[in-house]
Amino acid sequence: MRNELDPDRMPKHVAVIMDGNGRWAKKRLLNRLKGHEKGAEAVRTVVRTARKLNIDALTLYAFSTENWQRPQTEVSGLMFLLRRFLEAERSTLMENDIRLNVIGQIDRLPEAVRKDLKAVMAETAANDKMVLTLALSYGARAEIVDMVRQIAAAAKKGTIVPSAVTPEIVADHLYTRELSDPDLLIRTSGEMRISNFLLWQIAYAEIFFTPTLWPDFGEEEFIRILKDYQQRERRFGAIP
């Protein structure tokens, strides 16, 4: 199936809203954390598939600013699973020349998680075949507020003239300043909303909603979505 893809029409940047871990567990009368554990396996599969297909950047919505409102036991469990994932996958990231990146309000994460993230990011800093970005404690509105504060502070200092602010200057003050905008946004679980994810960056992204719960999302469906993407005509508001 992979051979049916056109390598010249691959998206450079794919973003994914990974949704449905809790419902996957509930359907099986399991604890929600079991769903998150299974979801981590889907992450491994998608990361490896993206790398094999020479996708430049993969951004995964792993933990939102709103997720802090979940029960403390679930939040603590998610942080434990994140640390376990980082430890288990650091060798894979190195072997596949993948650089780890993180966006979001990282200062809100537990110190042990921040330490592990920093260590893996430093270890993979020179890798240049693909960028794996984890959106952790991330919310697009918070990101935009942070951007406005930065530009306002620069304007107050006189280093930015307000009338000269451009979309490029805005983008340069977002968490994703080092990344291109996503070409494709995928959301699993059948929900048809953006959920405060990369609101500025996905202005012209192709969007694909799938009813598949995230733990059941695999290589075959990922490739099928990429084939659908390649059949779309991207006009960016213009007439082709």
Side-chain angles (χ1 to χ4, degrees):
M1 210 174 159
R2 198 187 319 162
N3 296 333
E4 300 174 19
L5 290 169
D6 181 352
D8 295 327
R9 299 192 64 193
M10 292 296 294
K12 291 181 171 58
H13 184 177
V14 177
V16 185
I17 300 174
M18 307 180 294
D19 192 21
N21 290 344
R23 274 168 284 171
W24 184 93
K26 185 177 181 180
K27 284 174 63 177
R28 292 160 177 78
L29 303 179
L30 299 172
N31 183 282
R32 286 177 61 86
L33 282 177
K34 292 296 182 181
H36 295 307
E37 287 181 9
K38 188 67 175 177
E41 295 179 18
V43 170
R44 294 185 183 97
T45 297
V46 169
V47 170
R48 286 166 170 77
T49 302
R51 177 65 190 90
K52 285 189 292 186
L53 296 173
N54 294 316
I55 291 172
D56 293 340
L58 177 67
T59 298
L60 304 178
Y61 201 7
F63 190 86
S64 72
T65 49
E66 291 77 20
N67 287 158
W68 290 113
Q69 301 172 38
R70 293 187 177 185
Q72 185 57 46
T73 52
E74 182 173 351
V75 172
S76 298
L78 284 167
M79 294 299 122
F80 170 78
L81 290 174
L82 173 58
R83 295 188 67 195
R84 192 169 73 179
F85 174 83
L86 291 170
E87 179 60 32
E89 296 303 306
R90 61 195 307 164
S91 60
T92 300
L93 297 177
M94 292 303 297
E95 291 166 7
N96 290 278
D97 212 358
I98 300 171
R99 176 169 67 87
L100 180 67
N101 182 44
V102 181
I103 58 173
Q105 297 178 333
I106 311 305
D107 58 312
R108 295 182 67 182
L109 297 172
E111 183 178 356
V113 173
R114 297 199 308 269
K115 182 179 178 181
D116 289 349
L117 286 168
K118 185 176 180 180
V120 178
M121 285 191 290
E123 186 176 351
T124 63
N127 295 349
D128 61 3
K129 295 300 183 184
M130 189 178 91
V131 180
L132 170 62
T133 300
L134 300 181
L136 293 166
S137 188
Y138 174 87
R141 288 184 172 182
E143 176 184 29
I144 290 170
V145 168
D146 285 348
M147 173 273 295
V148 171
R149 287 172 176 165
Q150 290 178 52
I151 292 179
K156 187 175 182 180
K157 291 180 181 178
T159 56
I160 289 180
V161 178
S163 61
V165 173
T166 63
E168 291 74 23
I169 288 176
V170 169
D172 196 46
H173 288 79
L174 296 172
Y175 302 154
T176 54
R177 61 182 65 89
E178 297 178 0
L179 298 169
S180 63
D181 288 343
D183 301 296
L184 171 64
L185 172 68
I186 301 169
R187 180 173 186 143
T188 60
S189 87
E191 301 292 350
M192 296 188 183
R193 54 178 177 268
I194 304 304
S195 295
N196 199 21
F197 185 50
L198 301 179
L199 297 180
W200 174 278
Q201 298 88 335
I202 62 170
Y204 284 103
E206 296 295 321
I207 301 178
F208 194 100
F209 297 104
T210 172
T212 303
L213 300 177
W214 177 248
D216 293 326
F217 191 87
E219 178 173 324
E220 184 175 333
E221 182 166 9
F222 189 21
I223 291 174
R224 189 163 57 246
I225 290 172
L226 292 172
K227 286 176 61 181
D228 179 274
Y229 166 85
Q230 293 190 342
Q231 294 167 5
R232 299 186 186 186
E233 184 177 49
R234 305 189 71 199
R235 296 190 294 272
F236 300 96
I239 297 174

